[in-house]
Amino acid sequence: MKNHPVRSHRSEENLAREEQLAWKMAEVAADPVEVTEPVVEMIVNRVIDNASVAAASLARSAPSSAREQALTHSASRGGAGATVFALGAETRTSPEWAAYANGVAVRELDYHDTFLAADYSHPGDNIPPILAVAQHAGKDGAALVRGIATGYELQIDLVRAISLHKHKIDHVAHLGPSAAAGIGTLLDLPVEVIYQAIGQALHTTTATRQSRKGEISSWKAYAPGFAGKLAVEAVDRAMRGETSPAPIYEGEDGVIAWLLDGPEGRYEVPLPGPGEAKEAILLSYTKEHSAEYQAQAWIDLARKLLREHPEAADPTRVESIVVHTSHHTHYVIGSGAADPQKYDPLASRETLDHSLPYILAVALQDGRWHHVDSYAPERAARPDTVALWQKITTVEDPVWTERYHAGGDSQSYGGRVVVTLTDGRTIEDEIAVADAHPAGARPFARENYVEKFRTLATPVLGEAEVQRFLDLALRLPELSAAEVRDLTFVALAGQLPPAGRPGIF
């Protein structure tokens, strides 16, 4: 890996294309380096993981609305079209709308893979747009694998170096460029075309973080699907010869100067060198629990506390619970966010998913976490849960903030908890990473991804359809173009809700 210095430039400096970050990213995307076996294996895992959480979300409002929108747009004349989850391989729409609908289904439950560093990301969000274009353009499994490897690589490299959240910019601003680059790899496009597509995708996917603040709405699920749709459209325009604002990152009125650290901002973005394998996916990790990633370890610790100290779950015996954790956890999902909604029993599922006090309270009392039951309105409103929930606060601990940014095996997404009981006793414990993390007590392996898919998808798809999809996904790099078009699934009769309220389409 080589670190590339990136900063804002005045217009008269006339920064050469070859020195621009978007160009260097395009060079990575266009590099025909082979995908290593560990990366291939992990891509297979993540395709299965995406399918797991998408299947489990199919009947929910946001995926259903997105699916209905997508179905109003027929496959374009330039290709075979792409499939929409739940509807099977015979039903196809235009690739940008398939990317959108499938992206919403994947993100709805906030239950797929993650990478956290200078910024946040769900790099599995790259898969729906790249898969949709592969189906539409008739690409085989090997090409799909190469495209996904690029998408993961570039999003994770950006996340390692450039903080968006510090400036209240939503993290899908790293997804638009990475998905466009991954599509460029898939289609074997030249550097020039990928460069233009990256610029257009970035320009159209910058938005504020209000989507993850206060009363969090259904747009939280839509944002990555929308970014994937814009990435597909950006590549299409670039292939037709259309250009993008440039330099998109470094320009005097560009992203760095006005949305990020300003004219004085400096970044070092790590990118693979020529001929160097794209292996960033191996730095990412998936979720065992359907909750924001920085809550994963706390669910695991809560289960342990309940076994060893059941009194910690009883609000009549608890004076306070204080979570000592990183800056990110405290300010994003903790009491440092200063969002009263994080303590509101009537809050939306999306808000509760980003409330560590709520998640810790329920996990302490139930000793488990369920993607439906743990967010049910009656569960959130249970009086003893509300009483315990209100006693939980978070504080930033510099030690845990440093560990959060440590990188490698030393990186931590946990912290220390202090439970003060009404009798004056205290209970203290800590956890560094979630059990399912690569450095955790029970790292997720292939069998765990398969089991997650079977558990979440079988009630919705049926055993036969689950097995058919697995048979394809497990052979991903060997799939023909026709088999890639079958890399979707159809829901059992009665699993999908009736059509909702009409829109424009």
Side-chain angles (χ1 to χ4, degrees):
M1 299 291 286
K2 179 182 177 182
N3 284 332
H4 297 271
V6 182
R7 65 173 177 85
S8 176
H9 286 251
R10 298 186 308 276
S11 296
E12 59 265 27
E13 291 182 80
N14 197 26
L15 182 65
R17 278 188 177 182
E18 294 74 17
E19 297 302 315
Q20 296 173 26
L21 177 59
W23 186 274
K24 293 172 181 178
M25 292 167 60
E27 288 182 320
V28 172
D31 189 343
V33 61
E34 289 298 314
V35 183
T36 64
E37 190 58 33
V39 171
V40 173
E41 289 295 305
M42 191 57 73
I43 288 173
V44 170
N45 289 343
R46 301 305 170 77
V47 167
I48 294 170
D49 200 48
N50 269 20
S52 301
V53 300
S57 79
L58 290 178
R60 293 178 60 82
S61 176
S64 297
S65 292
R67 191 167 55 245
E68 290 170 22
Q69 284 183 298
L71 285 177
T72 64
H73 299 270
S74 61
S76 67
R77 64 186 180 187
T83 61
V84 176
F85 292 154
L87 304 178
E90 299 306 313
T91 301
R92 297 178 188 171
T93 187
S94 57
E96 76 277 19
W97 282 97
Y100 167 77
N102 294 341
V104 175
V106 166
R107 175 59 77 83
E108 166 69 9
L109 294 176
D110 208 341
Y111 201 178
H112 63 320
D113 66 15
T114 304
F115 179 75
L116 304 171
D119 206 65
Y120 320 128
S121 66
H122 294 280
D125 292 335
N126 285 279
I127 294 175
I130 298 171
L131 172 59
V133 175
Q135 292 179 332
H136 178 73
K139 294 296 180 179
D140 63 17
L144 177 58
V145 165
R146 290 194 299 273
I148 293 172
T150 292
Y152 270 83
E153 179 66 49
L154 291 178
Q155 186 174 15
I156 289 173
D157 291 342
L158 289 170
V159 168
R160 293 165 76 183
I162 300 177
S163 175
L164 300 170
H165 73 90
K166 181 171 68 172
H167 303 285
K168 312 307 179 187
I169 300 299
D170 194 19
H171 59 63
V172 298
H174 286 331
L175 171 63
S178 67
I183 295 168
T185 299
L186 171 81
L187 298 178
D188 291 318
L189 299 178
V191 173
E192 164 71 21
V193 174
I194 302 174
Y195 162 76
Q196 300 293 353
I198 288 172
Q200 291 182 33
L202 173 60
H203 189 69
T204 57
T205 55
T206 52
T208 71
R209 276 189 62 82
Q210 191 60 41
S211 58
R212 297 161 213 287
K213 178 76 173 172
E215 184 177 344
I216 303 176
S217 74
S218 60
W219 182 252
K220 173 173 164 285
Y222 281 96
F226 186 67
K229 177 177 182 289
L230 294 180
V232 176
E233 293 171 343
V235 175
D236 180 81
R237 286 190 297 269
M239 291 174 68
R240 298 174 189 275
E242 302 306 322
T243 56
S244 71
I248 187 62
Y249 285 100
E250 302 93 342
E252 188 171 359
D253 288 343
V255 170
I256 292 173
W258 285 99
L259 299 181
L260 302 181
D261 281 342
E264 304 306 315
R266 299 290 187 275
Y267 305 95
E268 296 280 337
V269 180
L271 294 174
E276 186 176 357
K278 304 177 180 81
E279 296 188 316
I281 189 175
L282 302 178
L283 300 174
S284 61
Y285 22 80
T286 196
K287 296 180 177 181
E288 182 179 359
H289 315 294
S290 177
E292 210 278 349
Y293 193 83
Q294 293 171 92
Q296 299 290 302
W298 295 104
I299 294 171
D300 295 329
L301 183 59
R303 295 189 295 193
K304 176 174 179 281
L305 285 172
L306 181 61
R307 290 194 306 268
E308 298 177 357
H309 304 282
E311 63 271 29
D314 183 352
T316 66
R317 301 184 64 184
V318 172
E319 183 70 29
S320 67
I321 298 177
V322 180
V323 172
H324 300 256
T325 187
S326 68
H327 174 95
H328 286 61
T329 302
H330 174 55
Y331 284 103
V332 174
I333 64 171
S335 51
D339 291 340
Q341 296 89 349
K342 287 186 176 1
Y343 289 91
D344 183 358
L346 300 179
S348 66
R349 182 197 191 279
E350 292 84 358
T351 300
L352 297 177
D353 167 79
H354 276 54
S355 171
L356 180 55
Y358 173 76
I359 292 167
L360 186 57
V362 172
L364 271 171
Q365 293 184 330
D366 294 356
R368 68 167 194 146
W369 196 260
H370 189 270
H371 66 285
V372 176
D373 298 347
S374 298
Y375 294 106
E378 59 272 19
R379 185 67 194 82
R382 211 172 82 183
D384 64 321
T385 299
V386 175
L388 184 65
W389 180 6
Q390 307 304 313
K391 295 172 186 272
I392 300 174
T393 57
T394 66
V395 296
E396 180 185 356
D397 185 325
V399 171
W400 289 97
T401 296
E402 182 178 354
R403 293 181 67 175
Y404 181 101
H405 291 289
D409 293 339
S410 300
Q411 196 163 29
S412 167
Y413 304 112
R416 178 172 62 94
V417 66
V418 179
V419 182
T420 302
L421 301 174
T422 54
D423 62 10
R425 291 185 299 124
T426 60
I427 301 166
E428 297 191 32
D429 208 339
E430 66 177 49
I431 189 168
V433 293
D435 290 348
H437 186 274
R442 295 178 286 99
F444 246 50
R446 171 63 55 78
E447 60 267 25
N448 302 111
Y449 287 98
V450 171
E451 179 59 26
K452 182 177 176 180
F453 180 58
R454 290 191 183 280
T455 299
L456 294 177
T458 301
V460 184
L461 310 182
E463 291 184 8
E465 182 68 351
V466 163
Q467 190 58 53
R468 185 199 66 80
F469 181 88
L470 280 174
D471 288 343
L472 285 173
L474 292 171
R475 295 192 299 107
L476 182 63
E478 306 162 9
L479 297 183
S480 66
E483 289 173 318
V484 167
R485 291 194 179 110
D486 287 335
L487 196 62
T488 186
F489 44 78
V490 60
L492 290 169
Q495 287 296 318
L496 300 181
R501 287 182 291 181
I504 293 174
F505 304 131

